Amino acid sequence: MLDIILILVAVIILIILALASRQPDTFQVSRSISMAAPPATVFTQINDLQNWQAWSPWAKLDPNAKNSFSGPQAGAGANMSWAGNNKVGEGSMTIVESRPHDLIRFKLDFLKPFKASNTAEFTFTSAGENTVVVWSMSGKNNFIGKLMSLIMNCDKMVGGQFEQGLSAIKAIVEGAG
């Protein structure tokens, strides 16, 4: 009987590993929203990392997280590092490209709960009196990421947080007008 149980456990593990190996090698999560504010206003809110506390969904998950800033306050080279509870983990982000009113690209380095390096970006497009803001994140899916994707939907989880953050930015910039 014990032999049958061990064989079943081994088969289940092999099936899980086979399913994980078939997951995509890369991922991308993207959300967008239209804001009744000019691109310059929205861009300024996001390009200054010290503004993120006001709208970041992760700031709400751990209001006691320790943040530190280095480099310029805004634009290319601006850096924010954080260390928080298990909901926000530990890592840093650096603005690697900043084109006024058009694009902000970040290098994200996560240390905890898992090590990973990803790219995130915000794009800004005029739409009449409004600005359409797209927040996206992409990266490589290592084997641990592929395994985790069998039990967690990264697009729904991170996408939901992007939606919260975009809604909070919208409230700030529309109130600024």
Side-chain angles (χ1 to χ4, degrees):
M1 182 69 168
L2 183 59
D3 290 344
I4 293 172
I5 292 172
L6 289 175
I7 290 171
L8 284 175
V9 168
V11 168
I12 290 170
I13 290 172
L14 287 174
I15 290 171
I16 291 170
L17 294 176
L19 288 172
S21 70
R22 298 176 57 95
Q23 296 300 308
D25 291 333
T26 60
F27 72 92
Q28 180 167 7
V29 176
S30 185
R31 295 295 189 273
S32 65
I33 194 169
S34 180
M35 302 182 188
T41 301
V42 184
F43 178 88
T44 300
Q45 183 63 38
I46 298 167
N47 198 46
D48 183 339
L49 298 180
Q50 295 186 33
N51 290 338
W52 283 50
Q53 277 300 108
W55 57 263
S56 168
W58 296 281
K60 292 171 182 55
L61 290 174
D62 185 2
N64 297 317
K66 301 209 179 348
N67 297 319
S68 61
F69 301 91
S70 61
Q73 183 167 336
N79 175 276
M80 181 177 92
S81 297
W82 69 89
N85 63 23
N86 61 354
K87 293 180 181 176
V88 299
E90 183 177 345
S92 68
M93 63 181 180
T94 304
I95 297 176
V96 294
E97 186 176 359
S98 178
R99 295 193 315 249
H101 320 158
D102 182 40
L103 169 82
I104 304 169
R105 183 171 292 132
F106 299 86
K107 180 177 187 273
L108 294 171
D109 291 310
F110 299 100
L111 301 173
K112 292 180 182 177
F114 302 105
K115 284 191 174 196
S117 288
N118 299 321
T119 299
E121 57 182 45
F122 288 85
T123 59
F124 311 89
T125 306
S126 289
E129 299 282 318
N130 291 350
T131 301
V132 175
V133 180
V134 178
W135 186 0
S136 62
M137 180 174 70
S138 59
K140 294 185 191 251
N141 227 1
N142 63 23
F143 191 75
I144 297 295
K146 291 178 180 188
L147 198 56
M148 294 299 290
S149 71
L150 294 175
I151 57 173
M152 263 191 283
N153 185 323
C154 181
D155 185 76
K156 283 185 181 175
M157 184 178 70
V158 175
Q161 292 171 324
F162 282 8
E163 290 167 7
Q164 290 172 20
L166 288 168
S167 292
I169 295 167
K170 177 179 175 131
I172 290 168
V173 300
E174 288 181 354

